[in-house]
Amino acid sequence: MKMNIAIDGPSAAGKSTIAKILAKQLQYAHLDTGAMYRCVAYGAKLLGVDEHDEDALVKMIDALDIEFRGEGSVYIKGTDVSKEIRTNDISMSASKVSAFPKVRARLVEKQREIAKDKGYILDGRDIGTVVLPDAEIKIYMVASSVARAKRRYKEYLEKQIPAVYDEIYKDIEQRDYQDSHRAVSPLKKAEDAVEIDTSDMTIDEVVNRILSIIQSV
Ligand code: DC
């Protein structure tokens, strides 16, 4: 029987990488909920909507027609924005727009609708606590700020996105603060989540650890 798997944790802890691999191995679908907040931030920039105007942002969400197509690609109004939504600038803006309760409510509704038939691995900040509190498996993935900044820097270089290490480190710390101190659905470990510190673990080790958790259910 298919389940839903929630993977939460701070930025660059490895959630999306691990979720993609697990989804392939388990033949589950993967929903990167951070990409949805990134689309709101990028869409606002694209359409000239003020990122401080909560009502205007909510109104814009449906018009964006956010779509996930194969291999983790993300589309806004039929245009592939997979690369554009990954810049540092959009990361910071996504963290800001994600603090608006009405923006969250609309995206959470979409996420629940997508995952309603199970068989999904969702990664984000509030999956185990708010989006799917009944998820059968809940993982809370953490890593030191240095480990995360190094990973993000390497990822940017590989994807040929311009990056400065010190800026990435600073932004990670700032996003951690913003994401865990906002009033609505702050980043927080669900009581029944299993915490995994991936700082000194390889990708394979993390995948195997989660597979063993799944098998023990
Ligand atoms: O996972 P990410 O770095 O792509 O997420 C971008 C931002 O979106 C992050 O700073 C916080 C926000 N976010 C959120 O508030 N809730 C989620 N479920 C996923 C992301």
Side-chain angles (χ1 to χ4, degrees):
M1 197 193 63
K2 290 216 167 177
M3 309 179 286
N4 275 330
I5 301 171
I7 304 184
D8 290 302
S11 58
K15 303 182 300 288
S16 281
T17 306
I18 300 296
K20 268 186 209 126
I21 297 171
L22 280 174
K24 238 185 200 154
Q25 291 200 11
L26 298 168
Q27 295 189 306
Y28 272 41
H30 169 218
L31 181 63
D32 172 0
T33 62
M36 298 171 84
Y37 291 94
R38 286 172 182 274
C39 281
V40 174
Y42 184 67
K45 198 173 154 195
L46 202 68
L47 303 175
V49 172
D50 181 358
E51 66 170 10
H52 305 99
D53 186 340
E54 181 172 11
D55 289 326
L57 289 169
V58 176
K59 231 188 229 168
M60 178 195 73
I61 291 177
D62 285 333
L64 290 180
D65 195 15
I66 301 169
E67 271 182 277
F68 291 92
R69 300 190 190 171
E71 300 294 313
S73 57
V74 188
Y75 285 70
I76 287 181
K77 292 177 176 241
T79 301
D80 187 349
V81 295
S82 315
K83 202 165 157 187
E84 288 79 357
I85 61 168
R86 299 286 161 198
T87 64
N88 235 17
D89 181 31
I90 296 300
S91 300
M92 293 311 291
S93 176
S95 175
K96 281 184 203 140
V97 301
S98 72
F100 286 126
K102 291 184 204 164
V103 169
R104 301 201 67 81
R106 186 70 194 98
L107 292 187
V108 167
E109 191 184 330
K110 279 181 182 285
Q111 291 154 12
R112 287 186 181 143
E113 173 61 27
I114 292 170
K116 70 177 187 314
D117 296 327
K118 308 241 174 189
Y120 272 84
I121 303 180
L122 288 86
D123 75 81
R125 304 291 188 287
D126 60 341
I127 310 303
T129 50
V130 175
V131 181
L132 302 174
D134 296 332
E136 288 80 357
I137 304 279
K138 295 184 187 178
I139 306 292
Y140 192 71
M141 212 181 267
V142 296
S144 70
S145 303
V146 171
R148 290 184 289 136
K150 280 187 185 161
R151 284 182 198 155
R152 206 31 55 105
Y153 181 62
K154 190 166 161 260
E155 181 191 327
Y156 281 170
L157 292 188
E158 281 164 6
K159 290 185 178 160
Q160 298 180 342
I161 296 172
V164 178
Y165 175 81
D166 288 347
E167 274 175 23
I168 292 177
Y169 180 85
K170 215 175 75 212
D171 287 353
I172 278 181
E173 296 245 293
Q174 191 183 334
R175 275 215 289 154
D176 280 359
Y177 184 86
Q178 280 173 199
D179 295 347
S180 50
H181 286 81
R182 64 176 177 233
V184 183
S185 313
L187 168 66
K188 182 169 95 196
K189 177 179 169 291
E191 270 178 22
D192 50 351
V194 178
E195 182 166 324
I196 302 177
D197 185 337
T198 69
S199 306
D200 299 314
M201 290 174 84
T202 64
I203 291 175
D204 279 351
E205 285 170 341
V206 181
V207 169
N208 288 332
R209 171 99 171 82
I210 298 178
L211 286 175
S212 72
I213 292 167
I214 294 170
Q215 274 152 17
S216 70
V217 170

